Amino acid sequence: MSHAEDLTVQQALEAILESISVLPSEQVPIVEALGRVLAEAVVAKESLPPFANSSMDGYAVRSGDLAGVTIDSPAHLTVIADIAAGAVPSQRLAPGEAARIMTGAPMPDGADAVVPVENTNEPWRNPERPLPEIVQVYRAVGDGDYVRHIGEDIRAGTEVMSAGHLLRPQEIGVLASLGIESLLVVRRPKVAVLATGDELLPISEPLSPGKIRNSNGYAQIAQVLAMGAIPVPLGIAKDDENDVRSKLQQGLDARADLFVSSAGVSVGAYDVVKKVLEDAGNVGFW
């Protein structure tokens, strides 16, 4: 056993963490996975995007048709299709042809680039204007310009998240995009919280001479919740070995994984927590 003054904070932290092991895992739906820790790696079964698609509203084209074009010398392309997001294009672009395309819509066969609508002579999505027969293009584009390619974000077979990763809202979105409905996460720890001292009162009671309210207990419960754990409130124990022992037993009966207590561990005549712990097991340091 070591006295607290013999240890640095870092040494104390290391000593504590050496005795802590990872809890068992459980399967949860992704809507309940926020703030949880992955128990196993997530490997993508599909590529994202799963198909080549447009990153702009504009016209799918063959980039070779636009070599050297300028605003003063535009290309004139025949428009053969109108491709909306969610559609499956059925026509193949031949030289000199284009297809109007929405952001996220699949690229048609034969097309290798997209020209943003701002670089053409056509106003966008005027409901009274039909699909044009000819579109003028004022800007050259290269192979792959404004195209999201298959696997550009995530390739099938790659590890997307490793075990031990803390799940934030953005990870939940990635999991949904990969079609993962549920996953293995580490079980939430149950943390028993105990405050000790004859001077403490429940917050519902009025103050009386020599008494203060149990603020530490509520602050520690809030800390447990903030860390994503499950608090097990044990209330207040008097400065009495039997009462402290009884409260700790309540935590054991509730199958707590960790105990957090405040007060009762100094050298005062009524500081009994350390004595109770020594009677029950080993005190690593204090």
Side-chain angles (χ1 to χ4, degrees):
M1 183 193 305
S2 299
H3 292 284
E5 57 266 27
D6 296 332
L7 297 176
T8 66
V9 172
Q10 184 61 36
Q11 288 171 332
L13 179 60
E14 291 172 358
I16 292 170
L17 294 179
E18 283 176 0
S19 65
I20 292 177
S21 57
V22 177
L23 292 171
S25 61
E26 60 183 1
Q27 193 87 13
V28 300
I30 64 168
V31 293
E32 298 176 12
L34 181 65
R36 306 297 293 273
V37 175
L38 278 175
E40 64 179 7
V42 173
V43 177
K45 295 182 179 179
E46 303 166 339
S47 291
L48 292 179
F51 53 86
N53 65 90
S54 175
S55 67
M56 297 287 285
D57 293 333
Y59 286 83
V61 298
R62 299 166 66 101
S63 59
D65 290 338
L66 304 180
V69 304
T70 66
I71 192 167
D72 297 319
S73 180
H76 295 74
L77 303 178
T78 301
V79 181
I80 65 166
D82 194 14
I83 309 171
V88 179
S90 58
Q91 295 173 274
R92 180 182 179 84
L93 259 62
E97 294 180 338
R100 189 163 67 177
I101 193 167
M102 308 297 115
T103 301
M107 292 289 291
D109 288 343
D112 62 10
V114 172
V115 175
V117 66
E118 295 86 351
N119 300 128
T120 73
N121 67 325
E122 281 296 316
W124 195 246
R125 281 301 182 190
N126 183 339
E128 298 177 358
R129 186 179 180 88
L131 187 70
E133 294 182 3
I134 301 292
V135 63
Q136 293 183 28
V137 178
Y138 303 126
R139 174 187 172 187
V141 291
D143 185 353
D145 284 358
Y146 302 108
V147 176
R148 300 185 186 119
H149 298 283
I150 295 174
E152 185 174 296
D153 295 329
I154 297 173
R155 290 192 176 276
T158 59
E159 182 177 301
V160 181
M161 303 170 205
S162 58
H165 194 90
L166 178 66
L167 296 173
R168 302 166 298 172
Q170 51 267 49
E171 278 87 3
I172 301 300
V174 171
L175 291 169
S177 69
L178 292 171
I180 297 174
E181 296 182 84
S182 65
L183 65 163
L184 276 178
V185 296
V186 178
R187 176 174 65 77
R188 293 184 187 275
K190 297 173 70 175
V191 181
V193 176
L194 175 66
T196 67
D198 290 342
E199 75 279 15
L200 298 181
L201 290 174
I203 62 173
S204 59
E205 293 188 13
L207 291 176
S208 57
K211 303 293 185 180
I212 58 173
R213 294 191 179 94
N214 175 25
S215 59
N216 279 358
Y218 285 89
Q220 289 169 343
I221 288 171
Q223 287 177 311
V224 170
L225 289 169
M227 294 302 295
I230 301 170
V232 180
L234 299 180
I236 302 168
K238 300 297 182 182
D239 289 322
D240 173 81
E241 289 185 28
N242 289 331
D243 197 24
V244 170
R245 190 174 291 108
S246 174
K247 292 291 186 182
L248 293 177
Q249 186 60 51
Q250 290 177 28
L252 293 173
D253 293 342
R255 304 183 68 83
D257 301 295
L258 179 70
F259 285 78
V260 177
S261 67
S262 60
V265 293
S266 189
V267 294
Y270 299 99
D271 292 329
V272 299
V273 173
K274 178 170 164 288
K275 174 65 165 58
V276 172
L277 294 177
E278 286 179 329
D279 289 345
N282 177 54
V283 175
F285 65 87
W286 64 284

